[in-house]
Amino acid sequence: MILVGLTGGIGSGKSTVSSMLAERGAVIVDADQIARDLQGPGSPVLERMAERFGSHIIRDDGTLDRAAVASIVFEDDAALADLNGIVHPAMQDEIQRQIDAHRDTGRVVVLDFPLLSENPRKGLAATIVVDIDPELAVRRLVDQRGMSESDARARMSKQTPREERLATATHVVDNNGDLAALTRQVDDLWQQLTDLSA
């Protein structure tokens, strides 16, 4: 198994790169999806979140109201630290379980983790950073995700600065161009990753 990290700021196109790597044969360990699964209706993690932030963060159907949580934690560093204290230990356990399931294979396993720069992980054969001009990221978040510009900028301001994220990279995917340019870079990246596992 070759374990590599994949990260990028909000609006960078990291999820698109992750999907492209999966199409080429990578096993994706998706930290965001694991977090969503751990916060499912009736889960211990969701119950602890409701104890800390209030029952109003759970919708009538039992699902998590992510916007309600975001409105609390993006304005309050202590609340964000509490949220991370609830979610991260369970998340790390599940990430490790999924990685271990492929340990004795020859697969390329991609840890798709937005917070990789904030939470470096030992034992990675490569760290891939999807990079984009911050102004283009804001435009894509507004146009494609329907965020307000102020919300997009506020979320970006809470993340590791672009320069620090790039400093952790062994491979950079530049997503300032079109889909064809991105595809060519991912093809090249995939060749390099499979060479590592050869």
Side-chain angles (χ1 to χ4, degrees):
M1 175 192 77
I2 296 295
L3 178 63
V4 302
L6 173 66
T7 194
I10 187 169
S12 66
K14 176 186 63 64
S15 296
T16 301
V17 172
S18 183
S19 296
M20 292 171 127
L21 289 170
E23 289 167 5
R24 287 155 179 75
V27 173
I28 307 297
V29 177
D30 184 340
D32 279 348
Q33 184 59 53
I34 289 169
R36 284 192 289 273
D37 292 345
L38 289 170
Q39 296 165 350
S43 69
V45 168
L46 185 58
E47 288 174 8
R48 288 185 60 207
M49 288 173 63
E51 287 171 12
R52 168 58 180 87
F53 301 111
S55 60
H56 70 282
I57 67 165
I58 301 179
R59 297 191 185 98
D60 291 341
D61 64 0
T63 60
L64 176 63
D65 183 341
R66 295 182 186 286
V69 176
S71 70
I72 297 168
V73 302
F74 278 111
E75 299 300 321
D76 183 340
D77 290 342
L80 180 59
D82 288 346
L83 175 65
N84 290 339
I86 294 168
V87 176
H88 282 184
M91 200 167 100
Q92 291 299 333
D93 287 348
E94 179 59 19
I95 286 171
Q96 194 60 54
R97 188 194 68 76
Q98 291 192 22
I99 291 170
D100 288 344
H102 300 281
R103 190 155 304 280
D104 296 326
T105 72
R107 305 289 299 273
V108 174
V109 178
V110 177
L111 174 56
D112 179 342
F113 192 19
L115 300 178
L116 190 61
S117 301
E118 293 88 337
N119 300 278
R121 188 177 182 96
K122 292 191 173 88
L124 297 176
T127 299
I128 305 154
V129 172
V130 183
D131 184 54
I132 188 171
D133 180 273
E135 292 305 313
L136 180 55
V138 169
R139 286 206 302 277
R140 288 182 179 175
L141 290 168
V142 171
D143 295 344
Q144 297 172 12
R145 291 204 212 170
M147 281 187 188
S148 68
E149 183 176 334
S150 60
D151 185 29
R153 291 187 187 281
R155 291 182 185 224
M156 289 171 73
S157 74
K158 294 285 187 182
Q159 296 186 322
T160 296
R162 180 185 187 190
E163 296 75 19
E164 289 182 29
R165 191 181 303 114
L166 285 169
T168 68
T170 58
H171 299 74
V172 176
V173 176
D174 181 333
N175 194 18
N176 289 295
D178 60 14
L179 188 60
L182 184 64
T183 300
R184 286 193 297 273
Q185 289 182 79
V186 173
D187 283 338
D188 183 50
L189 173 64
W190 181 245
Q191 184 60 57
Q192 293 178 53
L193 295 178
T194 51
D195 285 348
L196 287 175
S197 64

